[in-house]
Amino acid sequence: MRGLSYPTAVLLATAASASIVPANSTNNITWPYQTFKTVNFTPPYLQISHHTAEPTDNAYLFFAPDGPKAKETAPLIMDMHGELIWNGPTTHAFAFGTQIYDDEPVLVWWNGTLYPEPIGRGNGVVHMLNHRYETIRTTTLAGDFLEQVPGASFPSNIDVHEVFITKNGSMLVTANNVTQADLTSVGGSKNGWVVAALIYEIDTATNQILFSWNSLDHLDQLPFTDSLYPIGSEGYTGATQSQAWGYFHINSVAPLESGYILSSRFLCTALALSPNGSVLWRLQGRSGGDFALGPGADFCYQHDVRAFPSSSVSNADSSTVTLHMHDNHNSPIDNNTVPSSGKTLLLDLATRHASLTHRYINASGPVYSTAQGNFQPLPNGHVFIGHGWIPILEEFSQSGTILTTIQFAAAEPRAGGGFVSAREPTLSYRAFKQEWVGCPRAKPAVWAERVGGGGGTVVYVSWNGATEVEAWEVWGGDSETALRCLGVVATTGFETRGLVGEAGYVQVRPRMRRRGDGRGGCEVVVSDVVAVVAG
């Protein structure tokens, strides 16, 4: 079977473009970005610092710049040299990365209407794309939900904070609902307004709800008085619907054995739920909750809580759980007092003791992020950290040594070193380092220019999302029907540039690399239709 072949022809023209546009505050451009001859993409320039040897793995960066200072909001795949791999649609794309669905890697992200901080949530849908960048699922959550804007209504109400595909193909998501509750225990009104935190497990094939959970059903174990976000903070008194008090602020949910583990930002708590939704235990990051905290095991305002059984024994009371998180510990309440870090904790469910096993922090360049972020264990034992509101990504060794720092937008420096969150940040809610094979259905993009004085033809070619192109055959001639091979140009980055002989028309054909198993990385056959574009 042949590899992908999308011949494309263009009439020669003349053009000029820059590869990197510098920052320019007069145009609200605070960070340099890239441009290309072949496509109208403007991904950020990556500033990559390797503190040790450069990584040797084949993983890519998955992140989605957002915020008022971002030149382009879109899901992006880039390599560890700062080269663009795939530029997704210009849109909000929270929690963008790869997951496994139906035994195949897929791309997923949330998109919808955002309510920025201090509300910090949204109402939208989850998109799922296959390796050809075709939409195969759109997960939605219909229902009669209330928001803080009276009269606001949305066709889907999945919150921005979580997208988790389970092993059985369902999807875990979060949601919110503004409703009335008795707030007299915290100094509010008997008929006050709060934001109920919700989780759902949804069948991705049918959008049927398989499981739901509401924080207000568990006020006996999770009372309003446990919130570290005092009623009235930032004007949210609970007096009206538009002033609804977000006491809980759910920001992650994932499986834990047959139940669930979820994170409440303003309870500073990780919660384990049984399959029927009852609360099994609470790990509170300051008081401990149901646990005693060992040295360094404290946390608060955390994101991306995940938990895994550490042992499997017949007596469930003696089992242990490994839990990891992005410890923000730096919300506006505790502004710039404790740096953000990745933390791994060991929970002994028999003794109810929580121990810190690892903390991942770059002491020479600490990051004080007020919101968002994630913790990703890598297959080689390393840990990848995204810092949310601060556009810094970090890779650490298993022991905690900083290996690589990646910056994708302007970050506000902190006196004494490191960074603090800006008032108008460029952010990526989560960021990942993952492997991916992309085989796009769309055609490559080509641009060609004459070189003055009969110096030949400069050809530029890109193929958005293609990971398996080894080289490009460049065909040319004076007629689109009489082309000959002018040369083969090795792929160099997102946009390959090659100098070939004189021609009036050019056409490119990709040569696909053979993967280690002997098969082509992209095994799709297409016709050799030539497209001609007049210049």
Side-chain angles (χ1 to χ4, degrees), residues 75-360:
L76 299 175
I77 306 175
M78 300 183 76
D79 70 16
M80 290 297 291
H81 302 286
E83 289 286 350
L84 181 65
I85 302 298
W86 181 69
N87 202 120
T90 302
T91 185
H92 300 298
F94 277 55
F96 170 62
T98 73
Q99 296 190 43
I100 300 299
Y101 177 75
D102 198 20
D103 296 325
E104 295 290 338
V106 293
L107 298 177
V108 294
W109 72 84
W110 176 96
N111 173 252
T113 299
L114 283 170
Y115 288 89
E117 296 290 352
I119 294 177
R121 56 181 187 268
N123 301 74
V125 305
V126 176
H127 299 281
M128 184 188 304
L129 276 61
N130 62 17
H131 72 292
R132 298 184 181 94
Y133 303 97
E134 301 166 320
T135 298
I136 57 173
R137 291 282 185 268
T138 301
T139 304
T140 60
L141 176 63
D144 193 15
F145 291 73
L146 280 184
E147 253 302 344
Q148 293 193 233
V149 178
S153 178
F154 304 92
S156 178
N157 295 278
I158 295 175
D159 181 37
V160 58
H161 283 98
E162 187 61 85
V163 178
F164 193 107
I165 301 175
T166 70
K167 291 182 178 179
N168 64 13
S170 62
M171 184 178 292
L172 298 179
V173 300
T174 60
N176 301 277
N177 188 50
V178 173
T179 188
Q180 290 188 283
D182 183 351
L183 300 180
T184 55
S185 63
V186 288
S189 134
K190 185 173 180 61
N191 296 310
W193 290 85
V194 297
V195 183
L198 313 174
I199 64 173
Y200 290 91
E201 183 170 359
I202 300 174
D203 185 319
T204 51
T206 64
N207 285 322
Q208 177 185 356
I209 295 172
L210 305 176
F211 172 82
S212 64
W213 184 89
N214 187 322
S215 63
L216 296 182
D217 294 335
H218 303 273
L219 291 176
D220 55 335
Q221 292 175 283
L222 308 170
F224 293 137
T225 52
D226 278 0
S227 180
L228 277 76
Y229 187 67
I231 191 169
S233 295
E234 300 173 299
Y236 295 103
T237 62
T240 65
Q241 179 179 343
S242 61
Q243 296 171 309
W245 177 43
Y247 80 101
F248 195 98
H249 196 105
I250 190 166
N251 59 25
S252 74
V253 58
L256 175 58
E257 296 185 318
S258 56
Y260 308 89
I261 181 87
L262 61 88
S263 169
S264 165
R265 173 168 166 82
F266 287 141
L267 297 189
C268 292
T269 297
L271 299 171
L273 304 181
S274 71
N276 66 11
S278 61
V279 178
L280 296 175
W281 48 258
R282 302 165 303 135
L283 177 67
Q284 211 280 346
R286 287 188 166 173
S287 68
D290 297 327
F291 293 79
L293 298 177
D298 61 306
F299 60 89
C300 210
Y301 317 117
Q302 73 291 336
H303 283 77
D304 194 33
V305 171
R306 301 288 190 255
F308 308 91
S310 301
S311 63
S312 179
V313 292
S314 58
N315 183 358
D317 289 337
S318 63
S319 64
T320 59
V321 167
T322 296
L323 182 147
H324 62 65
M325 68 177 70
H326 183 267
D327 179 17
N328 285 89
H329 223 130
N330 192 50
S331 83
I333 300 169
D334 293 349
N335 194 32
N336 300 335
T337 56
V338 181
S340 304
S341 63
K343 282 189 173 179
T344 302
L345 306 180
L346 183 66
L347 310 185
D348 190 315
L349 302 184
T351 64
R352 294 299 171 109
H353 187 271
S355 303
L356 175 70
T357 57
H358 290 94
R359 187 186 188 202
Y360 300 93

Side-chain angles (χ1 to χ4, degrees), residues 18-100:
S19 59
I20 297 179
V21 177
N24 183 341
S25 59
T26 61
N27 293 320
N28 202 35
I29 299 168
T30 60
W31 188 257
Y33 61 91
Q34 302 179 48
T35 63
F36 306 98
K37 299 263 190 180
T38 53
V39 289
N40 189 28
F41 298 151
T42 55
Y45 168 78
L46 299 189
Q47 181 175 299
I48 302 175
S49 301
H50 297 294
H51 304 279
T52 60
E54 289 192 24
T56 57
D57 55 27
N58 296 317
Y60 300 121
L61 300 172
F62 292 74
F63 64 108
D66 210 306
K69 299 289 187 179
K71 170 63 178 174
E72 176 188 65
T73 58
L76 299 175
I77 306 175
M78 300 183 76
D79 70 16
M80 290 297 291
H81 302 286
E83 289 286 350
L84 181 65
I85 302 298
W86 181 69
N87 202 120
T90 302
T91 185
H92 300 298
F94 277 55
F96 170 62
T98 73
Q99 296 190 43
I100 300 299

